[in-house]
Amino acid sequence: MPIWFYYTLLGLCSLFALLKGGAPERIGTAILAVGSILTLVTLLGRTNQYRSVAPGVIVIDVVCLLAFLVLALRAERYWPLWITALQFIGAAAHAVRLADPAIIGRAYAFALGFWSYPMLLLIALGTYRHQ
């Protein structure tokens, strides 16, 4: 998927959560949006982005994982638990890449980026159910 498509969905989902969601939905979308933007900024100008692990992206993913975990423990909703699990899978991809650098860059990129789309869907569904 083109990067503009993800950021368009992120913007729409964020707007929906900010206008119609409760505090957990707004916090969740903020975590996802800030993490996504920081990742984009971290990777700007970097050639062959997924041929090696970017330390800045690992830090961003782990901080987002911890933020989602705190949200999941404090919110009285189910969707933050699922988002935390998906973020954990994405963050674990870094460990797999570090353990086996021979993994193809496209597979690594897919493992990192794929989970963002279900996370957007979960926030949107959480916002819808909050109404």
Side-chain angles (χ1 to χ4, degrees):
M1 296 267 188
I3 194 85
W4 63 265
F5 182 72
Y6 170 74
Y7 281 96
T8 301
L9 287 178
L10 177 64
L12 293 172
C13 182
S14 297
L15 185 62
F16 182 52
L18 291 172
L19 294 176
K20 300 289 186 176
E25 289 78 24
R26 291 190 300 270
I27 293 168
T29 196
I31 294 167
L32 191 57
V34 169
S36 296
I37 292 167
L38 287 176
T39 298
L40 181 66
V41 169
T42 301
L43 294 176
L44 279 178
R46 189 168 179 216
T47 58
N48 301 324
Q49 296 173 352
Y50 297 103
R51 291 193 187 245
S52 63
V53 176
V57 176
I58 293 174
V59 170
I60 293 165
D61 283 350
V62 169
V63 169
C64 287
L65 173 62
L66 294 174
F68 281 128
L69 180 61
V70 169
L71 178 64
L73 293 173
R74 293 181 182 253
E76 295 179 359
R77 291 163 171 69
Y78 289 109
W79 67 263
L81 294 169
W82 288 96
I83 283 192
T84 303
L86 294 175
Q87 181 66 26
F88 180 78
I89 294 169
H94 295 297
V96 171
R97 178 63 181 211
L98 288 170
D100 186 5
I103 291 175
I104 298 169
R106 291 185 102 186
Y108 177 52
F110 180 80
L112 292 179
F114 173 78
W115 303 109
S116 299
Y117 291 96
M119 291 167 82
L120 288 172
L121 178 63
L122 285 167
I123 290 176
L125 288 174
T127 302
Y128 176 76
R129 289 190 45 103
H130 173 71
Q131 296 182 48

